Amino acid sequence: MRGFGFSKFVPRQIKRGGFDELLKLFLELLNYTAGDAGEALAWMNELDKQYNLTDDEYGMGDFIDELKQKGYLSEDNQNGQFSITAKTEQSIRQSALEEIFGKLKKSGKGNHRSPQSGQGDEKNAERREFEFGDSLDQIDMTQSIHNAQVNHGIGDFMMTERDLEVEEMDYKTLTSTVLMIDISHSMILYGEDRITPAKKVAMALAELIRTKYPKDTLDIVVFGNDAWPITLQDLPYLQVGPYHTNTYAGLELATDLLRRRKTHNKQIFMITDGKPTCLKEGTRYYKNSIGLDRKVVNKTLNMAAQCKRLKIPITTFMIAKDPYLQQFVRKFTETNGGKAFYSSLNGLGEYIFEDYIKNRRRTVR
């Protein structure tokens, strides 16, 4: 007999003192301490005092020993300082990927189809009648047999071309992406940590590309007074500096990197919380943090227009809500022909992943 059975709900007890549970916390804290293992462990000790993370059978010392045994942590024998290993760096990226991509899969934000379908690379949910030129592996046999039974009956089974139904296919193209991260001082102003979510997104996106789209390329550029590329290994240790925001330099470097890529699809993702406030003129820095400086803004808009001529769309992820800053972003987006998202810190990762997957399935003409 089918039905439902009900029983008393007994909440699952939180397991304390286990290595796996403590490792998750340790990896999360490393994002906030810019990869400083000693500081992360100090925070864990404080949290242990307050929330009893460990017990009499498994203490924090046991956890540190196991981190070293399993290759997550190394210790300098001369000064006793701890540092994380390449295995830990990869674990941080995987943790960020699970956190962000897991939310995206659950949220159901839109579909990921390109505007055109046909004989592409990846099946989608759309169905249509068979047309001459469709490949046989596109035919949905279950639905086609069902159509034949409906159209001709089951007494004398027959199937015609009109009964055949095929699965649509999405086109996917190789994509080269530059992710620009603002590391100006404003990314930690007003008591709000904006750099940690940005780092998480970069690590998760890099891990997604490395594991699911290995032929795609991702370059990471940070920009403050100047702009420079960083490697994947640098990400956990990334911090903001006493910098202004030289958006022009970041776009210039990103464009140079994309020129070298031999792919058709090229794009720039820019995470920023403020307006451009800086230019470099020879060896001198021109800076103005008051309002929107016409000299800085116009040169930045010219760079956005140059990217448009090179067919490089810029997607700006704005994590600030000031109306005059949003007005600048709207003008910047209009000049480039790209897109802009006014995102909260919590939704930043899902927006970027959604846009990345959607963009890489465009059909390039």
Side-chain angles (χ1 to χ4, degrees):
M1 180 178 178
R2 300 178 66 181
F4 297 94
F6 296 90
S7 61
K8 182 180 179 182
F9 173 69
V10 180
R12 183 173 64 88
Q13 295 295 318
I14 299 175
K15 184 180 179 182
R16 299 184 185 278
F19 176 79
D20 292 337
E21 287 74 22
L22 294 176
L23 178 62
K24 291 176 184 177
L25 177 59
F26 178 62
L27 295 177
E28 182 68 19
L29 288 172
L30 286 171
N31 288 310
Y32 293 92
T33 64
D36 188 327
E39 186 180 352
L41 290 171
W43 274 106
M44 289 193 71
N45 274 317
E46 292 300 317
L47 291 171
D48 187 23
K49 292 177 184 176
Q50 188 170 353
Y51 296 104
N52 298 321
L53 301 178
T54 62
D55 54 30
D56 293 340
E57 296 181 3
Y58 190 90
M60 196 58 65
D62 296 315
F63 173 64
I64 294 172
D65 288 341
E66 200 164 353
L67 283 174
K68 292 190 287 186
Q69 292 169 9
K70 293 185 175 181
Y72 289 99
L73 204 62
S74 62
E75 184 178 8
D76 189 323
N77 293 327
Q78 293 183 350
N79 55 29
Q81 292 184 343
F82 295 110
S83 59
I84 61 175
T85 64
K87 181 177 181 179
T88 310
E89 293 169 358
Q90 183 179 9
S91 297
I92 296 172
R93 297 196 301 270
Q94 289 174 340
S95 177
L97 177 62
E98 290 169 5
E99 176 185 342
I100 295 172
F101 200 54
K103 290 180 183 177
L104 177 61
K105 288 190 291 185
K106 292 176 183 177
S107 68
K109 288 186 180 178
N111 53 42
H112 302 305
R113 298 194 302 273
S114 63
Q116 295 226 341
S117 297
Q119 295 186 27
D121 305 301
E122 186 171 285
K123 295 178 181 179
N124 65 35
E126 301 297 327
R127 300 290 186 272
R128 60 172 172 80
E129 290 186 4
F130 177 85
E131 297 176 359
F132 179 77
D134 289 331
S135 62
L136 294 179
D137 60 359
Q138 280 184 256
I139 297 175
D140 184 341
M141 292 305 301
T142 302
Q143 190 61 38
S144 298
I145 293 172
H146 173 75
N147 293 341
Q149 292 175 336
V150 171
N151 295 336
H152 310 294
I154 59 175
D156 187 15
F157 179 78
M158 63 178 294
M159 180 181 291
T160 66
E161 182 178 327
R162 294 188 61 185
D163 301 321
L164 296 178
E165 194 167 307
V166 299
E167 299 172 302
E168 288 278 37
M169 305 285 282
D170 286 330
Y171 288 94
K172 291 193 300 184
T173 58
L174 299 182
T175 300
S176 293
T177 303
V178 173
L179 180 61
M180 291 174 51
I181 302 176
D182 184 348
I183 58 167
S184 62
H185 185 58
S186 61
M187 291 288 277
I188 55 169
L189 278 181
Y190 314 117
E192 187 171 40
D193 176 12
R194 296 165 176 172
I195 189 64
T196 300
K199 284 196 302 184
K200 276 190 177 183
V201 167
M203 289 188 287
L205 187 58
E207 192 67 9
L208 175 73
I209 291 173
R210 191 184 68 83
T211 55
K212 191 171 183 181
Y213 307 114
K215 293 183 179 180
D216 284 7
T217 64
L218 175 68
D219 293 287
I220 304 168
V221 169
V222 296
F223 61 104
N225 291 348
D226 297 286
W228 61 93
I230 64 171
T231 67
L232 191 59
Q233 288 71 31
D234 296 328
L235 273 173
Y237 312 100
L238 187 63
Q239 300 181 66
V240 301
Y243 306 127
H244 285 67
T245 308
N246 192 343
T247 309
Y248 176 87
L251 291 171
E252 186 178 41
L253 177 57
T255 304
D256 288 342
L257 291 170
L258 288 173
R259 286 178 197 265
R260 305 171 196 169
R261 300 297 184 184
K262 305 303 180 183
T263 54
H264 293 291
N265 272 7
K266 298 178 181 181
Q267 60 187 355
I268 296 172
F269 287 166
M270 179 169 65
I271 304 174
T272 183
D273 72 330
K275 58 186 181 293
T277 60
C278 177
L279 293 172
K280 191 172 184 180
E281 300 176 327
T283 58
R284 170 180 173 266
Y285 291 99
Y286 175 86
K287 303 174 184 178
N288 183 5
S289 299
I290 302 173
L292 288 168
D293 186 290
R294 181 176 299 174
K295 180 177 179 179
V296 178
V297 167
N298 286 344
K299 193 162 184 180
T300 304
L301 292 176
N302 289 339
M303 193 68 217
Q306 182 179 335
C307 288
K308 183 178 182 179
R309 290 192 293 271
L310 294 171
K311 298 182 179 180
I312 301 175
I314 303 168
T315 303
T316 305
F317 297 90
M318 187 70 172
I319 47 180
K321 299 179 181 179
D322 308 66
Y324 81 102
L325 294 180
Q326 293 188 0
Q327 183 180 359
F328 161 73
V329 172
R330 280 193 291 271
K331 180 65 176 176
F332 179 87
T333 302
E334 180 184 343
T335 303
N336 173 256
K339 289 179 288 185
F341 294 93
Y342 303 96
S343 170
S344 67
L345 293 175
N346 290 333
L348 181 63
E350 291 95 305
Y351 275 119
I352 290 182
F353 272 54
E354 176 79 15
D355 208 57
Y356 172 77
I357 296 172
K358 183 177 180 180
N359 287 352
R360 78 177 309 280
R361 295 186 180 182
R362 292 180 301 167
T363 302
V364 178
R365 297 179 182 276

